[in-house]
Amino acid sequence: YSNYARDFDEFMYDFDDMVVLVAASNDGSFGHESIGSPGTAKNVITVGALESDSLPITTVSDFSSRGSTLDGRLKPDVVAPGQYLSSAATSYSAGLATCATTNMAGTSMATPTVAGAVALLRQFLAEGNHAVYSAAGAATSSYNASSPKAALVKAMLISSTAPVTYGYDASGGSITLSSFYATDCASVTECQDTDGGAEDSYGDDCSYYDVDSNRWHCAYGSWDDADFTAANMCCTCGGGNGEPCPVNGYLGTTGVDYHQGFGAVQLSNVLPLNGEFELFLFEGELEENQQWDYSFHVSSSGFDTTEIDVTLVWTDPPGSVSCSSSCLVHDLDLRVWEAGTQLYPNFGAATNGDYAGQADQANNVEKVSISSAVDGTRIDVSVLAEGLGSADTQKFALVVTGP
């Protein structure tokens, strides 16, 4: 979290209707925690890249930088096509016009794609289309359509996402993301290099520890974490010291991870242009320990989907430069109950993992998804201002989509 990232957060906090998008960087070969600044800022929309040179688009590009941030926040926020895209070419000569195009790859190609999506979201609201395509949702909503806050636009974008299936490890090997992030290093019985290129201070990698004659180094704890130069070697070997996975904890399988963030942008998942779901939008403001509540019943009749997505975003005050434990200043909690059962956002939605069943205290973006909502079920949503560190109030935006 650099001065550069802090400046972006401060600007967006002071001018909270300004949406800023930043490319995640093209350092995926370095593995995790490779997001470039200011992509590590809390309030920007950080964009990673998808392979887009063939259909279907199902894979995060190998070069696309990955989270988390050093303080454990989820980045990138979203991914979009970025390999290869046709775009305007420069003549490289002042005053010489050209109509040429060029094909390029990079997160800097994916980011303008998402910027266009953001412009469409703002246009949808400003032109009054909400009431046209979701009459019931618009009648219940409460927000400034003529000048929506950046948090609302970001929440709509996050609400639109769909999970991506594949990606690459740091060595360029193809991986299935759900399996990759389900690796629990506390339970492995042999050395596992989950991100590619891990080795100890002597240059030995997992192939060394997987030889029977050397396995005792792990099995009897005769090495310690200081022996390893990379945090991406899982090596418990049946009881020895455990080296962590290349993420801040074992994530489980949630479809939310440090390759893709919340997933690929698909505006049809948030704009009900065919009337397949309702769209509810809210902007509010809370004092510390104050709670905002909203309830509804699932009514699937006449709708094409049973999925409900609830997304909370707030524009957080700037944090301290080089914050390492937590850069979050104001902590809001999204709480959702389905027929009385509490559901948790982000990594808390996993049925296993280090964050399963926990509230998110690191991010200023929180999303809960219900894949198959039952008709007639009561859904309760609340936003709690758990802690405000630098102001008396905190504004927020909430998006709900579903039948």
Side-chain angles (χ1 to χ4, degrees):
Y1 191 76
S2 65
N3 280 296
Y4 200 24
R6 187 189 186 281
D7 287 346
F8 271 72
D9 278 342
E10 183 175 30
F11 174 81
M12 294 185 67
Y13 184 74
D14 291 340
F15 300 92
D16 60 4
D17 60 346
M18 179 66 73
V19 182
V20 178
L21 299 95
V22 177
S25 296
N26 302 323
D27 293 322
S29 61
F30 291 98
H32 289 84
E33 298 181 342
S34 58
I35 301 287
S37 179
T40 54
K42 296 173 288 184
N43 299 325
V44 304
I45 298 171
T46 306
V47 183
L50 293 171
E51 292 184 348
S52 50
D53 48 353
S54 63
L55 296 175
I57 300 174
T58 59
T59 305
V60 178
S61 299
D62 59 351
F63 57 77
S64 186
S65 288
R66 301 162 201 157
S68 67
T69 61
L70 294 181
D71 64 309
R73 285 177 290 114
L74 177 61
K75 289 286 180 175
D77 293 294
V78 297
V79 288
Q83 180 189 356
Y84 285 87
L85 296 186
S86 296
S87 185
T90 178
S91 66
Y92 295 102
S93 298
L96 180 61
T98 177
C99 294
T101 61
T102 185
N103 290 335
M104 298 186 69
T107 56
S108 292
M109 298 299 284
T111 303
T113 303
V114 181
V118 166
L120 290 173
L121 292 175
R122 289 183 65 95
Q123 182 181 13
F124 178 86
L125 300 180
E127 293 183 350
N129 289 311
H130 189 184
V132 175
Y133 293 100
S134 177
T140 310
S141 297
S142 176
Y143 66 98
N144 185 346
S146 62
S147 183
K149 300 299 184 186
L152 182 64
V153 177
K154 185 176 182 178
M156 292 179 71
L157 190 75
I158 299 296
S159 182
S160 81
T161 54
V164 177
T165 306
Y166 305 107
Y168 296 90
D169 61 24
S171 62
S174 180
I175 57 173
T176 300
L177 295 176
S178 59
S179 300
F180 180 81
Y181 284 99
T183 301
D184 182 3
C185 289
S187 65
V188 298
T189 56
E190 59 184 12
C191 187
Q192 291 188 10
D193 180 357
T194 61
D195 200 29
E199 59 184 28
D200 65 15
S201 57
Y202 297 100
D204 294 322
D205 59 17
C206 277
S207 62
Y208 173 85
Y209 290 101
D210 280 342
V211 176
D212 288 342
S213 60
N214 297 321
R215 194 180 300 278
W216 65 272
H217 286 287
C218 286
Y220 298 100
S222 59
W223 56 270
D224 56 30
D225 290 351
D227 290 331
F228 287 82
T229 58
N232 54 3
M233 184 181 285
C234 294
C235 193
T236 60
C237 298
N241 297 332
E243 190 72 12
C245 285
V247 293
N248 287 286
Y250 158 43
L251 300 188
T253 53
T254 63
V256 180
D257 58 56
Y258 298 131
H259 274 68
Q260 64 179 308
F262 288 93
V265 173
Q266 294 186 13
L267 292 190
S268 60
N269 289 338
V270 73
L271 299 181
L273 302 183
N274 295 315
E276 59 270 53
F277 54 86
E278 294 289 357
L279 170 65
F280 303 88
L281 306 174
F282 303 95
E283 292 178 335
E285 189 169 7
L286 295 171
E287 298 177 354
E288 190 168 45
N289 296 319
Q290 188 178 8
Q291 181 169 296
W292 178 91
D293 298 297
Y294 177 68
S295 300
F296 62 95
H297 287 83
V298 178
S299 179
S300 59
S301 177
F303 295 104
D304 295 335
T305 182
T306 59
E307 180 174 341
I308 294 174
D309 292 306
V310 183
T311 307
L312 168 69
V313 174
W314 66 98
T315 301
D316 200 49
S320 300
V321 174
S322 300
C323 48
S324 57
S325 58
S326 177
C327 294
L328 197 66
V329 177
H330 290 172
D331 183 19
L332 304 188
D333 283 340
L334 173 63
R335 301 181 177 185
V336 178
W337 290 266
E338 180 185 17
T341 299
Q342 186 169 359
L343 309 176
Y344 293 90
N346 301 356
F347 303 139
T351 55
N352 47 30
D354 292 343
Y355 303 102
Q358 296 182 29
D360 188 313
Q361 296 180 317
N363 296 286
N364 61 329
V365 179
E366 300 187 10
K367 182 179 181 180
V368 170
S369 295
I370 303 172
S371 59
S372 300
V374 178
D375 194 46
T377 301
R378 177 182 170 119
I379 307 295
D380 297 292
V381 180
S382 71
V383 179
L384 173 65
E386 186 74 24
L388 304 184
S390 70
D392 293 332
T393 63
Q394 174 62 53
K395 298 175 184 179
F396 70 90
L398 187 85
V399 174
V400 180
T401 61

